[in-house]
Amino acid sequence: EVQLVQSGAEVKKPGESLQISCQASGYIFTHHYIAWVRQRPGKGLEWMGVFYPGDSDTRYNPSFQGQVTISADKSTSTAYLQWRSLKASDTAVYYCARFHLPYAFDVWGQGTMVTVSS
Amino acid sequence: EIVLTQSPGTLSLSPGERATLSCRASQSVTNNYLAWYQQKPGQAPRLLVYGVSNRATGIPGKFSGSGSGTDFTLTINRLDPEDFAVYYCHQYGTSPQTFGQGTRVEIK
């Protein structure tokens, strides 16, 4: 079974750093992009960017460029989303999803809730 | 970036009725790379349709997608209680990929 399992909820203070993870199983990790999607409380879905573990090709939404870093560890089939300095406006649920053409986002992680509050 | 505008914002219908959801793009969607997702409270989105009209694995035939260019439609026949949710369209042919703002289908 193809699965993406994300790390647990986080509560952080503004200015702190954070890395959340998304572990893939059931398929060849290096053959498909992993995307990250933000959903602020009560709001819609926002595409943050994609990462291709096969060659580390990374594409960011300009709205998120420089604010986050997307990466992956092929040896553990795990993708990461990282912040250097969190803001209150980063409070959201973050989803990872497998992306491959023409199927769009066919498998999703369960989401990681990130709360940033002083 | 391509802006996707979904209408209506909320659709109030009774079980058994048909739902028709619209998604309009600000420019033509490349290669008809247009998908629809269903999201229920507290859950991750679920892929329903990809490439405008192809149902994802395990999705029943009551869900159908159509359209081309800039105008797309998701139709849900004979609404069941579990179909009441929020639906998003998503274009993935042009970077940055974008989502519509969502249509909530609620019980009338």
Side-chain angles (χ1 to χ4, degrees):
Chain A
E1 180 194 4
V2 177
Q3 266 193 310
L4 297 174
V5 177
Q6 297 186 230
S7 50
E10 301 275 0
V11 179
K12 292 289 190 179
K13 291 183 170 22
E16 292 187 329
S17 63
L18 174 65
Q19 180 173 272
I20 63 175
S21 66
C22 168
Q23 183 163 39
S25 61
Y27 73 97
I28 300 173
F29 183 63
T30 52
H31 285 191
H32 301 290
Y33 282 89
I34 290 282
W36 287 94
V37 176
R38 181 173 78 177
Q39 187 168 40
R40 285 174 162 157
K43 302 298 184 184
L45 305 171
E46 299 173 271
W47 181 79
M48 301 176 72
V50 288
F51 184 92
Y52 188 68
D55 62 6
S56 298
D57 179 39
T58 313
R59 319 273 178 92
Y60 290 98
N61 183 328
S63 297
F64 291 92
Q65 181 92 42
Q67 308 305 308
V68 297
T69 301
I70 298 172
S71 62
D73 181 344
K74 290 188 285 189
S75 68
T76 59
S77 298
T78 303
Y80 299 98
L81 180 65
Q82 181 180 14
W83 294 260
R84 285 190 180 179
S85 180
L86 287 160
K87 310 182 191 71
S89 57
D90 293 319
T91 294
V93 176
Y94 293 87
Y95 294 101
C96 62
R98 186 175 76 165
F99 172 63
H100 63 132
L101 295 173
Y103 306 101
F105 297 163
D106 63 340
V107 180
W108 292 69
Q110 82 277 20
T112 296
M113 178 70 215
V114 173
T115 302
V116 184
S117 174
S118 54
Chain B
E1 71 177 43
I2 296 178
V3 176
L4 298 180
T5 302
Q6 293 187 238
S7 61
T10 301
L11 201 48
S12 298
L13 295 168
S14 301
E17 291 193 298
R18 172 187 296 173
T20 303
L21 287 66
S22 173
C23 175
R24 178 162 290 176
S26 60
Q27 55 189 277
S28 187
V29 173
T30 301
N31 292 329
N32 279 336
Y33 283 155
L34 191 287
W36 291 91
Y37 303 87
Q38 176 193 68
Q39 188 178 34
K40 297 179 182 178
Q43 295 185 19
R46 176 175 71 142
L47 177 66
L48 298 175
V49 169
Y50 65 90
V52 174
S53 59
N54 301 285
R55 276 187 297 278
T57 303
I59 302 303
K62 63 189 300 185
F63 293 93
S64 62
S66 62
S68 65
T70 61
D71 287 296
F72 304 92
T73 300
L74 177 71
T75 302
I76 312 170
N77 287 314
R78 298 180 309 278
L79 284 165
D80 290 312
E82 60 267 27
D83 299 329
F84 291 92
V86 179
Y87 293 83
Y88 294 95
C89 57
H90 163 220
Q91 72 79 20
Y92 53 102
T94 301
S95 191
Q97 298 181 29
T98 49
F99 291 92
Q101 82 279 17
T103 290
R104 179 179 305 276
V105 179
E106 65 175 25
I107 299 177
K108 188 172 181 180

